Amino acid sequence: MTYPATPLAQGYTKESRKTEPASGSLPVFFVLLLGMALMALGLILPLRALYFYQAFPGSWVEHWLLLPTHLLFPHQPLVSSRHPLDNQALHNVPLNWHDLLLLGGGLALVCLLYLLALRALPPLISYRFILLSTAFLGFILVLYPALTSQDVFSYITYARIGVIYHLNPLTTLPIAISHDPIYQYIFWTTQPSAYGPTWIACTSLLQWLALQLHHSSVWSMVLLLRLFGLTMHLGATILLWSSSGLALAPQEAPSPRLRLVRLTATLALAWNPLLLLEACVNAHNDATILFLIMLACWLLFHWQRRQQLPWLLAATLVLALAACLKITFIVIFPGLLLFLLAREERRPFWQRLRLPAAMLLAYAGCIVLLYWPFWQHGAVLRLFQVNPSASMARNTPYEFLVHLYATIAQIRLIQIDPNTGSYPEIIAHAIASLLFVLAYGSLCLYTLRRPASIRSLPALFGWMALAWLLFCFVGSTWFWPWYLVSWVGLSLLVLASDKSWQSLLRSRAFAVTTAFTAFCMLSIYAGYVWGMERTGLPFFPGLQISWLRGLWGWSFLLLLIPLMLAQRRRQRTWSTLAAPPLPLASRGQGRDPQRQGRLPVS
């Protein structure tokens, strides 16, 4: 089969490149193939042996969406409307190895097709094709009858607390509305919202819209949140494409090579199985955080081109909105301050501080103003006392080390209360916090001493990505796959906008590492299924296999770190070879002090 000439082989104008359709039938075939793989995965998730969650409980929609799974697995029990974490529900259905293999195979197939798409499709597709195909795949995921996380029910709970009951979601416990239909589907009933005013505003607006449409049911809000997540994912994709174009110098003409780089990065973000599933199935707010961060990056590119203060101020306020959605994202903002300091290195120190100080004041002021209506005499700070992420160890190497210690010491891990971890977990959290402070402080000090390392916008985005990765891997004992969504987006933006990293996008190693990262993160969910059987390691029977999920989930670093180091080494080699030779008159000056501008010695 022969395909028509690709955009790389033609001299298209800027306008024609935007509307150029996909070349040949291979891209359409890939979309249909990936869509069928996602449909197959959607038929597997409702199996009750996998202990996932019902997406549209108590609705006619659920009945019709579960019908294909009923036909495919006629004798298998499916996910029920009862809370999956109920002890009785957990022990009613034993672990089915067949179902577990189906889940792993479905995830592997989706990630494999994603890998092949990254290698084969970029020269054959257009930007418009990416958007349309992503919307198509997203709608398939929106109609999944099962969830792998029940956080969406917590989002709905806090939205109903604010819109229907007119209470403060940041201080009111869900148990206060125990008579509401949503209450039976949530797990964390004794803690207020862990998310800030930005997310409360988004979910409250959706809840108000549902009420205006005369839909007060739980399933209607799940559908709206999933569609909202798909919209945020498409928005982040659009911003990545636009930002990578703005990264070009004003006098630089777009080339086929740069267009291929942009298409590869955009496709890697748009079709990423981890990002798609967390945005369109679990409706996690990290898709919204990614959109806000990409919007801030887009505004910074405009500021760099126009050098107008409102663009920089807008980017600062958008980063404040992201921090007011999930407060831990405050760790990425100091990178912007260091970037502003590095740009004004030649000025006196007190003059260099004026612009960063103004942005810091705007950032802090925005956070204070957004939290002020919910402050309630400091009651909002109670969240830090009951938040499980402050004392529990889940899906991290710390979890494995805690259980390894408990197994060797032959002690039993006992939680103080449902919201607080055991004593070894509390110690592990303190150690993780100390290690993160040291690592994060070292990163900031290194950047202060070497301002050239953060003088460009791609370097700033790389700093932000590294800071967030350090927090997730080093500083947090509580981790879930969706936490990595923002890191994936920032990393792809760096690869698309930094010329020294663009060559990595078309390498086989990049495609393998990206797909493997998505598979490792998504397979964490299978680790919980394995844990129901309490299977021990062959060489260490007291240690359950499920406690390895944190090590396995982060095993993608074994591919990522060597890839980054190899690319950095390649950059240094090329920069050395490309450096112009020194003039003859200046050679050897480092060896002879008399030639370094000094008077000859008599």
Side-chain angles (χ1 to χ4, degrees):
M1 179 183 294
T2 59
Y3 296 99
T6 66
L8 294 179
Q10 301 178 11
Y12 290 116
T13 63
K14 183 176 181 180
E15 290 75 14
S16 64
R17 280 194 298 270
K18 290 183 178 180
T19 59
E20 176 65 22
S23 301
S25 58
L26 183 62
V28 178
F29 174 74
F30 253 99
V31 173
L32 295 178
L33 201 60
L34 184 56
M36 288 188 290
L38 290 173
M39 288 180 184
L41 182 61
L43 296 178
I44 296 169
L45 293 183
L47 297 175
R48 191 181 299 184
L50 300 179
Y51 302 101
F52 290 139
Y53 307 81
Q54 197 176 47
F56 305 103
S59 67
W60 59 270
V61 177
E62 187 77 16
H63 171 74
W64 289 105
L65 292 179
L66 286 175
L67 186 59
T69 307
H70 271 297
L71 297 176
L72 189 61
F73 305 97
H75 304 295
Q76 291 272 46
L78 303 185
V79 61
S80 66
S81 59
R82 298 189 60 187
H83 196 287
L85 293 180
D86 180 74
N87 290 329
Q88 184 178 356
L90 288 179
H91 296 289
N92 281 342
V93 182
L95 176 62
N96 190 320
W97 291 98
H98 178 263
D99 296 348
L100 183 59
L101 291 176
L102 281 177
L103 174 62
L107 293 175
L109 178 61
V110 170
C111 293
L112 178 61
L113 290 174
Y114 171 65
L115 187 157
L116 296 176
L118 290 181
R119 294 294 297 158
L121 292 189
L124 306 175
I125 60 176
S126 66
Y127 166 59
R128 184 179 63 180
F129 173 82
I130 294 177
L131 290 183
L132 293 177
S133 60
T134 304
F136 169 73
L137 298 175
F139 277 117
I140 293 176
L141 295 170
V142 164
L143 297 177
Y144 268 25
L147 301 159
T148 59
S149 166
Q150 57 90 48
D151 280 4
V152 65
F153 297 126
S154 294
Y155 301 158
I156 299 172
T157 300
Y158 299 123
R160 295 173 76 89
I161 286 175
V163 175
I164 298 178
Y165 299 99
H166 307 290
L167 299 173
N168 186 351
L170 299 188
T171 58
T172 303
L173 306 184
I175 199 171
I177 60 167
S178 57
H179 58 281
D180 192 274
I182 190 63
Y183 186 78
Q184 60 183 315
Y185 305 116
I186 60 175
F187 180 73
W188 304 106
T189 60
T190 57
Q191 62 170 286
S193 174
Y195 312 105
T198 304
W199 187 239
I200 294 299
C202 294
T203 54
S204 297
L205 180 61
L206 293 176
Q207 182 65 69
W208 175 85
L209 177 62
L211 294 177
Q212 295 301 310
L213 297 175
H214 304 289
H215 285 282
S216 59
S217 58
V218 173
W219 72 267
S220 60
M221 271 297 290
V222 173
L223 184 61
L224 284 176
L225 282 167
R226 283 182 166 185
L227 291 174
F228 182 74
L230 174 59
T231 304
M232 292 294 100
H233 181 70
L234 289 172
T237 303
I238 293 171
L239 289 171
L240 174 61
W241 172 264
S242 180
S243 298
S244 60
L246 292 172
L248 300 174
Q251 69 277 6
E252 187 177 358
S255 65
R257 185 190 67 83
L258 290 176
R259 181 172 180 273
L260 179 60
V261 166
R262 296 175 65 194
L263 286 171
T264 305
T266 306
L267 181 67
L269 178 74
W271 283 20
N272 190 292
L274 173 65
L275 274 61
L276 274 173
L277 188 138
E278 300 300 349
C280 306
V281 177
N282 295 327
H284 274 123
N285 53 26
D286 290 77
T288 305
I289 294 175
L290 175 60
F291 172 79
L292 291 174
I293 292 176
M294 299 297 276
L295 178 59
C297 297
W298 181 81
L299 292 169
L300 286 173
F301 274 121
H302 276 284
W303 169 71
Q304 186 181 50
R305 284 200 167 193
R306 305 183 185 186
Q307 293 298 315
Q308 295 176 350
L309 189 60
W311 292 99
L312 178 61
L313 180 61
T316 302
L317 296 180
V318 170
L319 289 176
L321 288 176
C324 286
L325 198 156
K326 191 176 286 188
I327 195 63
T328 49
F329 276 89
I330 202 171
V331 300
I332 69 173
F333 179 72
L336 179 59
L337 303 180
L338 294 172
F339 167 76
L340 296 175
L341 282 174
R343 283 176 56 89
E344 306 293 337
E345 187 183 9
R346 296 182 179 180
R347 292 188 177 185
F349 184 73
W350 65 272
Q351 293 183 359
R352 293 165 55 196
L353 282 178
R354 287 189 298 181
L355 186 57
M359 293 304 104
L360 178 61
L361 183 62
Y363 183 81
C366 181
I367 293 177
V368 170
L369 288 177
L370 287 175
Y371 268 96
W372 185 259
F374 305 93
W375 186 249
Q376 201 168 326
H377 306 289
V380 70
L381 298 177
R382 182 178 179 272
L383 173 65
F384 296 102
Q385 301 174 359
V386 298
N387 196 332
S389 63
S391 60
M392 293 186 184
R394 297 290 186 274
N395 306 318
T396 59
Y398 295 106
E399 179 190 28
F400 171 76
L401 294 175
V402 165
H403 286 287
L404 179 63
Y405 165 76
T407 303
I408 295 175
Q410 296 183 352
I411 61 175
R412 185 180 178 184
L413 299 179
I414 301 176
Q415 290 185 230
I416 301 174
D417 58 65
N419 296 322
T420 308
S422 60
Y423 184 71
E425 288 178 298
I426 296 174
I427 297 298
H429 183 269
I431 294 174
S433 300
L434 177 61
L435 292 177
F436 175 70
V437 168
L438 294 176
Y440 189 75
S442 301
L443 176 63
C444 294
L445 288 176
Y446 175 84
T447 308
L448 279 173
R449 295 189 63 181
R450 297 184 177 225
S453 64
I454 199 174
R455 199 165 286 156
S456 66
L457 283 180
L460 166 62
F461 305 149
W463 192 98
M464 291 179 172
L466 179 58
W468 183 246
L469 186 66
L470 282 176
F471 174 79
C472 292
F473 180 65
V474 178
S476 178
T477 58
W478 179 272
F479 176 82
W480 294 93
W482 54 88
Y483 292 5
L484 220 58
V485 165
S486 299
W487 174 80
V488 172
L490 279 171
S491 300
L492 290 173
L493 180 58
V494 173
L495 294 179
S497 58
D498 193 337
K499 293 182 179 180
S500 60
W501 289 95
Q502 288 176 349
S503 61
L504 186 61
L505 279 171
R506 290 301 297 153
S507 66
R508 186 183 296 107
F510 164 77
V512 172
T513 304
T514 306
F516 184 65
T517 301
F519 178 72
C520 288
M521 288 290 106
L522 292 175
S523 58
I524 287 178
Y525 296 118
Y528 276 86
V529 180
W530 206 323
M532 303 304 174
E533 191 73 8
R534 301 188 180 276
T535 307
L537 292 172
F539 54 87
F540 211 148
L543 198 63
Q544 295 181 29
I545 295 179
S546 62
W547 293 333
L548 297 175
R549 56 182 173 251
L551 296 179
W552 165 251
W554 286 98
S555 62
F556 73 91
L557 293 177
L558 299 177
L559 293 181
L560 178 68
I561 294 177
L563 179 63
M564 297 293 103
L565 293 178
Q567 181 69 13
R568 180 69 70 179
R569 194 180 306 113
R570 195 178 299 114
Q571 292 173 6
R572 292 175 179 173
T573 302
W574 279 108
S575 61
T576 302
L577 294 176
L582 293 173
L584 291 176
S586 63
R587 295 181 183 178
Q589 288 187 9
R591 295 186 299 268
D592 190 354
Q594 296 186 12
R595 297 185 181 183
Q596 297 182 5
R598 300 178 182 178
L599 295 175
V601 179
S602 57

